[in-house]
Amino acid sequence: MTAADPIALRLGICHGMPLAQARAMHPELHVAQAEPATDQAALEALTLWCQWLSPLTATDGADGADGVWVETTGCDHLFGGEDQMAEHLLTRLAKAGYSARIAIADTAAMAAAVARSSHRSITLIPPRGQESVLRKLPLASLRLEPETLATLRRLGLVRVGQLLDMPRAPLARRFGQALPDRLDQAMGRLPEPLSFRTAPQAFRASGTLVEPISTVPAIARALENLVAELVDTLSRRGHGARHLQVQCMRVDGTLQSLQIGLSNASADPVRLNRLLAERIETIEPGFGIEAFTLSATETAPLDAPATRDWLTPATDPAGLSTLLERLGGRVGIQSLSRLHDGASQFPEREQAYTGCERVQSMEEHFPAGPHGPRPARLLPAPASITVTASWPDGAPKAFRWRRATHTIRGLIGPERVWSDWWHDPQGACARDYWVAETVEGERFWLFVAHDGAGPAKGQAVWFLHGLF
């Protein structure tokens, strides 16, 4: 077992116990599957969350990755002292749904050892008082390897004070340098290597107005100033915006927001202002707006190679990405779709419509293989027709569709198309397609289906699939 809640601990079930043993003790025990990746992501988020307390936070990955180090040197006076700071942190953690044990010490290793060993919610180790506290702690608090701990227990060593009284050289020779290093880190003789986390960079510009505004031109001017500030920050970092969010604080305390997406990263103020101007009418100013915040919630390096847009031909006209952005801004990106190549030879499966937000690169498409002419209009489903006359080789000479008879003047074909084994697992299926031109000048796309050996003479079933 990788973890146990307080109820299980009171029942005698603990971390590391085999599941079979725990179920034998309590058959009604509720067990959930461990998700280490999810736990690690939550711990990383908690590490960043603690930066309201100090800008220097790091994840302690030892013993199940359930600890956070916070460098609070010089921060305690902001909360009235270390004890008030720890109480404030514990209260906020409890409101967020976390139970925690907090230890404040001169060294990171000492704080980690006490927090993992003490039963108290908050423990304050006085300056230069780590040795007296460390002597009483169990050996497991030093974050040693399980094999080392097992060997030390077999030798009768259970407390850190017993190691402190032993010569250092024999310990290093018997257990390796890691054991004395852990002791030195806790005592402050050796630094603890910490990897401090940095919050994701936020590109944001905000401003408060002297007087509330409610008209479209006034809102546009306010946003232009924020765009200029945001673009300046983005340009200095070599980034461009892919997604923008505007938050408007009204005088009644409510928040209005709008979002726009861009097809590629941009730090062009003209382009950003144009896109925002087209969405200003969606803002409800009420009795007036007194503050704005413009955020680039998604960015990308400006020098990064842009993926080819799904409507962009080889020449890539400059106005096409702008058109897509304006359409997406007006009707929503979820309302736009593109024709996507599929892994099939049958025409009705060869292409399908896919949302624009899901497919942005032509590299995601299945390449279309070489084939014959395709009609401009493909019927939703092949329509059955009646062939009233045939050429000696079986090709249609005349057919009837929708109560009208069409006489064929010329034919192009046949083009044989095979089915896909993943769609038709029962056996092979083939179609022979013909482009038929009638005496009236109409062109139809006809096919006959068979098992791959050719249509049975006199029993062929014909279909109309498209119109040129």
Side-chain angles (χ1 to χ4, degrees):
M1 298 181 63
T2 59
D5 64 5
I7 298 177
L9 292 174
R10 287 196 295 269
L11 295 175
I13 299 171
C14 59
H15 165 71
M17 178 181 292
L19 179 59
Q21 179 182 351
R23 286 194 182 278
M25 295 171 58
H26 299 280
E28 69 281 3
L29 181 68
H30 176 70
V31 179
Q33 187 70 28
E35 299 179 0
T38 305
D39 294 341
Q40 183 64 29
L43 185 64
E44 294 284 348
L46 182 62
T47 303
L48 293 176
W49 176 84
C50 288
Q51 290 187 352
W52 64 267
L53 181 63
S54 168
L56 300 177
T57 60
T59 300
D60 178 11
D63 295 344
D66 58 354
V68 176
W69 274 308
V70 183
E71 175 55 75
T72 59
T73 303
C75 300
D76 57 293
H77 72 281
L78 301 174
F79 303 91
E82 290 183 341
D83 50 350
Q84 289 88 344
M85 179 180 64
E87 288 284 357
H88 188 57
L89 175 59
L90 193 64
T91 301
R92 292 196 60 175
L93 286 171
K95 289 181 179 180
Y98 292 99
S99 60
R101 290 196 298 267
I102 300 174
I104 301 178
D106 288 347
T107 65
M110 185 65 197
V114 173
R116 296 180 189 281
S117 305
S118 175
H119 296 288
R120 300 172 57 186
S121 299
I122 299 175
T123 305
L124 304 181
I125 295 91
R128 294 178 296 280
Q130 56 261 33
E131 183 174 356
S132 60
V133 177
L134 188 62
R135 285 183 171 276
K136 304 175 184 179
L137 297 181
L139 292 178
S141 63
L142 292 179
R143 297 170 293 156
L144 299 173
E145 295 294 332
E147 296 81 4
T148 302
L149 281 175
T151 304
L152 290 172
R153 291 194 182 102
R154 285 197 299 269
L155 296 175
L157 303 175
V158 293
R159 297 290 174 183
V160 178
Q162 295 172 287
L163 293 181
L164 293 176
D165 296 333
M166 297 178 65
R168 304 295 298 275
L171 283 177
R173 191 163 51 248
R174 176 70 182 273
F175 300 101
Q177 188 60 36
L179 179 56
D181 284 350
R182 289 299 189 190
L183 292 172
D184 289 340
Q185 288 170 353
M187 295 296 294
R189 304 189 191 104
L190 188 68
E192 175 81 23
L194 300 179
S195 178
F196 293 112
R197 296 296 189 264
T198 303
Q201 188 176 34
F203 295 96
R204 184 180 297 111
S206 59
T208 303
L209 305 176
V210 178
E211 294 289 340
I213 59 176
S214 58
T215 63
V216 172
I219 295 175
R221 285 193 296 271
L223 290 180
E224 287 176 1
N225 295 331
L226 296 183
V227 167
E229 182 180 346
L230 180 66
V231 165
D232 181 61
T233 304
L234 288 169
S235 300
R236 288 201 305 268
R237 303 297 178 89
H239 276 242
R242 288 292 308 272
H243 189 274
L244 292 177
Q245 181 183 53
V246 179
Q247 292 183 321
C248 313
M249 179 61 70
R250 303 196 314 191
V251 293
D252 58 1
T254 60
L255 198 66
Q256 289 279 307
S257 63
L258 65 87
Q259 301 180 10
I260 61 171
L262 291 86
S263 59
N264 55 354
S266 174
D268 181 7
V270 177
R271 180 181 177 187
L272 300 183
N273 281 320
R274 183 178 62 248
L275 292 174
L276 291 172
E278 293 180 350
R279 298 294 308 280
I280 289 178
E281 294 181 354
T282 64
I283 299 176
E284 294 289 343
F287 293 105
I289 299 173
E290 59 182 1
F292 290 90
T293 299
L294 176 64
S295 306
T297 55
E298 183 179 345
T299 63
L302 288 175
D303 56 354
T307 56
R308 200 178 117 175
D309 205 77
W310 53 268
L311 277 180
T312 307
T315 55
D316 192 12
L320 186 54
S321 59
T322 304
L323 171 63
L324 295 178
E325 292 165 359
R326 298 183 68 177
L327 288 174
R330 287 182 176 274
V331 302
I333 193 67
Q334 70 279 358
S335 302
L336 302 180
S337 59
R338 60 170 298 279
L339 204 57
H340 173 67
D341 294 332
S344 177
Q345 295 191 63
F346 275 12
E348 63 269 26
R349 303 170 185 164
E350 190 176 13
Q351 291 179 323
Y353 284 99
T354 307
C356 297
E357 71 279 2
R358 295 181 54 201
V359 180
Q360 296 293 340
S361 172
M362 292 296 291
E363 297 175 357
E364 301 177 21
H365 309 160
F366 293 99
H371 50 62
R374 292 292 184 261
R377 176 189 172 192
L378 194 68
L379 299 183
S384 178
I385 61 174
T386 302
V387 175
T388 57
S390 301
W391 295 99
D393 59 357
K397 194 173 186 180
F399 67 93
R400 185 173 180 81
W401 177 56
R402 290 184 177 178
R403 301 182 181 180
T405 300
H406 302 272
T407 303
I408 298 175
R409 180 176 61 183
L411 290 166
I412 301 175
E415 177 191 355
R416 179 157 296 183
V417 175
W418 290 90
S419 66
D420 314 306
W421 61 266
W422 53 91
H423 285 133
D424 303 285
Q426 301 300 325
C429 180
R431 297 177 183 176
D432 288 345
Y433 277 90
W434 298 80
V435 179
E437 182 175 327
T438 67
V439 293
E440 291 83 9
E442 297 178 292
R443 284 197 171 191
F444 297 92
W445 204 34
L446 313 177
F447 76 86
V448 58
H450 53 85
D451 60 0
K457 197 168 185 179
Q459 300 180 358
V461 180
W462 286 84
F463 298 88
L464 171 65
H465 206 172
L467 307 173
F468 287 89

